[in-house]
Amino acid sequence: EVQLVESGGGLVQPGGSLRLSCAASGFTFSNYYMTWVRQAPGKGLEWVANIKQDGSEKYYVDSVKGRFTISRDNAKNSLYLQMNSLRAEDTAVYYCAREFTAVTAEGWFDPWGQGTLVTVSS
Amino acid sequence: SYELTQPPSVSVSPGQTASITCSGDKLGDKYACWYQQKPGQSPVLVIHEDSKRPSGIPERFSGSNSGNTATLTITGTQAMDEADYYCQAWDSSTAYVFGGGTKLTVL
């Protein structure tokens, strides 16, 4: 069974840092792009970042560029999101997801983990 | 930046057909996909590449995409289909984009 399990969320003060982890199992992790998507309380979905199979390419939504860093360890089947200079507007449930891509490079996400809540507040 | 627009809510009677739209500039030139999210749960992919259903997704879910609008259609809607639905596409300037979500009420 394909499974993604996030961890590392919690309460952090504005300006603080947090590192999220996503443990993957049930598939060959190194064969897939992986992605992070977040959802603020009561709001919609927002794509945050993704990373190529070998980690050589990384992409971010503008609002987190320079503050968040996505990485992966294929030997440990794990995906990470290092979040620095956190702001109140980063408060959200953060989901990791496996990414599929069509021949056109357009992609979709399946499955998603259960999510981990990050709360940025003083 | 690229944007996708969905109606905030759609209502349907049990057994009837529900249609949820997603609009974006020349969306028909891109692939659209759809996710279902029930309260307190993670999103689940129900349609990818405009009209393809992942394994395990009931046949009553279908999709289409043409012009500026992608549509998710649920035929014979059941109470268990009540959820939020999000469309998503990829754009070269914005990367991945989600619609704002549509709350489907089955009443």
Side-chain angles (χ1 to χ4, degrees):
Chain A
E1 179 195 4
V2 175
Q3 195 169 15
L4 298 169
V5 179
E6 300 94 336
S7 60
L11 174 64
V12 61
Q13 292 187 340
S17 298
L18 213 54
R19 188 195 195 206
L20 306 183
S21 300
C22 171
S25 60
F27 66 101
T28 304
F29 181 72
S30 58
N31 285 355
Y32 294 88
Y33 264 85
M34 295 294 295
T35 211
W36 287 98
V37 176
R38 67 184 178 183
Q39 186 171 34
K43 302 297 184 182
L45 302 171
E46 180 184 37
W47 175 80
V48 174
N50 71 348
I51 185 168
K52 194 176 179 179
Q53 289 90 332
D54 62 0
S56 61
E57 296 180 20
K58 306 172 185 182
Y59 302 94
Y60 302 89
V61 67
D62 285 348
S63 59
V64 308
K65 284 180 181 176
R67 300 188 300 123
F68 289 13
T69 302
I70 189 172
S71 63
R72 65 192 295 163
D73 185 334
N74 287 342
K76 295 183 177 180
N77 291 337
S78 293
L79 175 71
Y80 306 102
L81 186 67
Q82 177 67 43
M83 304 184 295
N84 299 330
S85 303
L86 283 161
R87 305 166 180 168
E89 54 265 35
D90 296 319
T91 294
V93 174
Y94 284 73
Y95 297 100
C96 68
R98 182 176 62 175
E99 187 173 323
F100 287 87
T101 51
V103 292
T104 58
E106 298 166 87
W108 59 95
F109 311 127
D110 182 47
W112 300 50
Q114 87 288 350
T116 187
L117 176 63
V118 173
T119 303
V120 184
S121 175
S122 55
Chain B
S1 63
Y2 195 77
E3 295 183 358
L4 296 174
T5 302
Q6 298 179 235
S9 63
V10 168
S11 297
V12 63
S13 299
Q16 298 305 302
T17 297
S19 295
I20 300 173
T21 58
C22 174
S23 299
D25 184 47
K26 298 180 181 177
L27 181 57
D29 292 342
K30 309 176 187 299
Y31 278 134
C33 63
W34 293 89
Y35 302 92
Q36 175 194 69
Q37 186 179 33
K38 296 181 179 180
Q41 297 184 19
S42 304
V44 173
L45 179 74
V46 294
I47 293 290
H48 64 91
E49 293 175 278
D50 295 339
S51 59
K52 296 180 179 179
R53 270 181 299 104
S55 61
I57 301 301
E59 291 185 8
R60 63 180 181 273
F61 288 87
S62 63
S64 63
N65 186 15
S66 179
N68 293 323
T69 304
T71 303
L72 173 69
T73 302
I74 309 173
T75 305
T77 307
Q78 300 182 10
M80 69 172 65
D81 300 329
E82 188 163 284
D84 293 328
Y85 290 86
Y86 294 90
C87 61
Q88 175 244 303
W90 182 88
D91 178 76
S92 59
S93 63
T94 313
Y96 289 108
V97 180
F98 289 94
T102 298
K103 180 177 181 58
L104 177 66
T105 301
V106 182
L107 41 67

